[in-house]
Amino acid sequence: MHTSNRLTRVEWLICVIAAIGFAFDTYELLMFPLINRPALTELGHLAFGSVEYRRWLGLLFYVPAACGGVFGLLGGYLTDRLGRRRVLTWSILVYALSAFGAGFATTLPWLLVLRCATFIGVCVEFVAATAWLAELFHDPQQRERVLGWTQAFGSIGGILVTGMYSLIVSYTASLPAIHGVHEPWRYTLMSGVLPALPLIVIRPFLPESPTWREKKVAGTLKRPSVAALFTPEFRTTTIVTTLMFACSFGAAFGAIQQMPQQIAPGLSDVRTLPPAARQQAVAAVQWFQEMGGLAGRILLAFLAVRILSRRSLLRVFQVPGLVIVPIVFLVAPHQPLVWAKWGIFFAGVCTVAQFSFWGNYIPKVFPTYLRGTGESFAANVGGRMIGTAAALVTTTLAGSMPGGSPGQQMAYAAALVGLVAYAVGLIASFWLPEPGRDGLLE
């Protein structure tokens, strides 16, 4: 790839396809907060707030993410061994087929298995895509912009799934019956196959990373290994990025993703609504959350080329989030729906922007032969396996929290988990290494 600031047609196509990929990743991940309550009610006949309900809710949040983390780590290794493009193509097929199949689940265990497969595809795709983009664009500022703006489309995926869910709720009766019924959550799961179609068709024909290919052909590409991440050269980077990635995911899964279905339906002006109107209110909360996330990603992309210190850039979101997130969840149960909408908007700004930060930062601090492995370890071990366990912690803590309803208990647990995640992440940022400003490590 050339280093001119003007993108070629192929580079524009690469950016468009990458943006669709990031959007689809988020589309799949943020689908569950919209459909978990009706799915648990239909497949498990579970009462909201019961011990068994909270147990399955925690399992469906955490187990797919943990599976995605394990296989995502393997995917990162394969990305360094086999190439970025090949792993991207197979990961898209995995999550497209499993997403469609989840709509036909007849039991909670089957839904869990298919959601695990979807997460595996998403986790592998994210690591391969960011390594691929980082190596395709050699000019530092151009790379910064490409990574920032394409990842901003991750929040477009959240907005799209919210709109799709709202549309499906309105027209459910017009859709073909699945197992004899018309349930919006099933059609929403199946809709995940739609954004994957252009990726399946086009991505196999896009160029491989020239950096990886040249080293592979020349025989100078070192063999990647997880052990290499803990050599003195990379140990601090690996540990700190893994811990901070876990905190970013902990705030998302343990706090903000609990708002739509677990907290919003219990608000005073929502719980008296008819079922369809209540689901529309849930979709509205998710929409505000994703608009906040989009605003945060855009702000991150704008500031990334203007704030040289990566620590300072991240703290633009960490410091206000440390205050905003706990307050939103402590106050939301006692306020009308509009307060919850705007509260989750600003919580989304602070939290979701951090995901774009890591997609920009991590490819710069590991060399070519370890780029996929290093990013995969931080994103999957830290983010998926440790960070998403915060959802399980929140659902477990909720039973011990004060409050007059299950929704209030969930909100207080989310406030505590969000506070801890932000506090630990901010403290860890003092040890975050500053990457070089001139280019990628070779």
Side-chain angles (χ1 to χ4, degrees):
M1 291 288 169
H2 66 94
T3 58
S4 169
N5 286 328
R6 294 176 61 87
L7 300 182
T8 66
R9 289 183 180 180
V10 172
E11 289 172 337
W12 272 114
L13 179 60
I14 289 168
C15 290
V16 169
I17 294 300
I20 294 173
F22 288 132
F24 183 59
D25 291 352
T26 309
Y27 189 101
E28 281 299 332
L29 296 180
L30 294 182
M31 188 180 289
F32 189 65
L34 288 168
I35 60 93
N36 57 56
R37 191 165 177 173
L40 287 169
T41 301
E42 181 187 342
L43 295 181
H45 307 290
L46 305 178
F48 175 65
S50 66
V51 173
E52 192 67 4
Y53 178 95
R54 291 198 302 268
R55 185 176 78 86
W56 268 104
L57 180 66
L59 288 173
L60 282 163
F61 262 116
Y62 177 63
V63 174
C67 288
V70 172
F71 284 89
L73 186 60
L74 174 62
Y77 172 82
L78 293 176
T79 296
D80 287 333
R81 287 284 292 158
L82 304 178
R84 286 49 168 136
R85 186 183 59 182
R86 186 183 302 178
V87 174
L88 273 171
T89 302
W90 283 104
S91 66
I92 294 164
L93 290 172
V94 169
Y95 66 55
L97 295 175
S98 60
F100 186 80
F104 294 92
T106 54
T107 65
L108 287 175
W110 265 115
L111 179 61
L112 180 59
V113 168
L114 290 166
R115 286 296 291 171
C116 286
T118 301
F119 259 77
I120 289 170
V122 167
C123 293
V124 173
E125 196 274 346
F126 174 80
V127 171
T130 50
W132 183 58
L133 283 176
E135 293 171 355
L136 282 169
F137 295 90
H138 297 300
D139 178 77
Q141 285 202 340
Q142 189 180 66
R143 183 191 311 118
E144 203 74 69
R145 287 193 295 269
V146 166
L147 284 170
W149 289 107
T150 54
Q151 287 182 91
F153 278 81
S155 288
I156 297 294
I159 294 168
L160 288 175
V161 75
T162 304
M164 179 63 75
Y165 181 73
S166 182
L167 187 66
I168 288 171
V169 168
S170 301
Y171 294 97
T172 298
S174 304
L175 298 171
I178 300 176
H179 301 309
V181 294
H182 298 80
E183 289 292 338
W185 68 268
R186 290 186 179 276
Y187 306 114
T188 305
L189 282 168
M190 294 172 66
S191 71
V193 74
L194 297 177
L197 297 179
L199 303 181
I200 293 171
V201 172
I202 298 174
R203 250 190 185 159
F205 300 99
L206 294 177
E208 177 59 89
S209 160
T211 303
W212 181 88
R213 186 183 62 248
E214 289 165 8
K215 288 181 174 293
K216 182 73 172 178
V217 171
T220 58
L221 189 68
K222 297 180 183 178
R223 191 179 185 89
S225 72
V226 173
L229 300 176
F230 293 92
T231 57
E233 184 180 2
F234 301 114
R235 185 185 301 128
T236 299
T237 300
T238 300
I239 293 172
V240 174
T241 54
T242 300
L243 174 60
M244 294 183 69
F245 221 125
C247 291
S248 299
F249 266 72
F253 278 76
I256 67 172
Q257 288 199 26
Q258 305 301 327
M259 181 67 85
Q261 282 285 12
Q262 308 309 315
I263 300 169
L267 300 180
S268 59
D269 53 349
V270 177
R271 59 175 176 261
T272 57
L273 295 173
R278 197 178 307 128
Q279 290 307 307
Q280 292 287 6
V282 166
V285 171
Q286 179 93 351
W287 187 84
F288 268 77
Q289 174 184 308
E290 290 314 304
M291 288 302 294
L294 177 60
R297 288 181 187 269
I298 290 174
L299 182 59
L300 186 284
F302 175 79
L303 295 176
V305 295
R306 291 166 174 81
I307 299 177
L308 296 180
S309 168
R310 299 298 91 177
R311 294 179 186 176
S312 298
L313 175 63
L314 185 57
R315 287 171 190 158
V316 168
F317 302 96
Q318 286 181 312
V319 173
L322 180 64
V323 178
I324 291 171
V325 170
I327 289 177
V328 166
F329 285 91
L330 287 174
V331 177
H334 311 288
Q335 301 296 326
L337 178 63
V338 66
W339 202 98
K341 288 179 181 177
W342 284 107
I344 205 65
F345 174 90
F346 289 107
V349 170
C350 298
T351 304
V352 178
Q354 295 182 43
F355 300 147
S356 283
F357 173 85
W358 294 118
N360 284 42
Y361 174 86
I362 295 179
K364 301 175 186 175
V365 292
F366 291 104
T368 302
Y369 80 100
L370 275 181
R371 188 160 291 125
T373 306
E375 186 173 5
S376 178
F377 191 91
N380 292 304
V381 175
R384 319 289 185 180
M385 298 173 68
I386 300 174
T388 54
L392 197 59
V393 173
T394 300
T395 56
T396 303
L397 282 177
S400 304
M401 287 287 152
S405 69
Q408 289 180 358
Q409 290 179 304
M410 188 70 76
Y412 297 151
L416 177 59
V417 171
L419 175 65
V420 172
Y422 263 94
V424 173
L426 181 59
I427 292 169
S429 71
F430 287 92
W431 286 271
L432 185 70
E434 289 287 354
R437 299 173 185 174
D438 298 328
L440 301 178
L441 295 176
E442 294 300 327

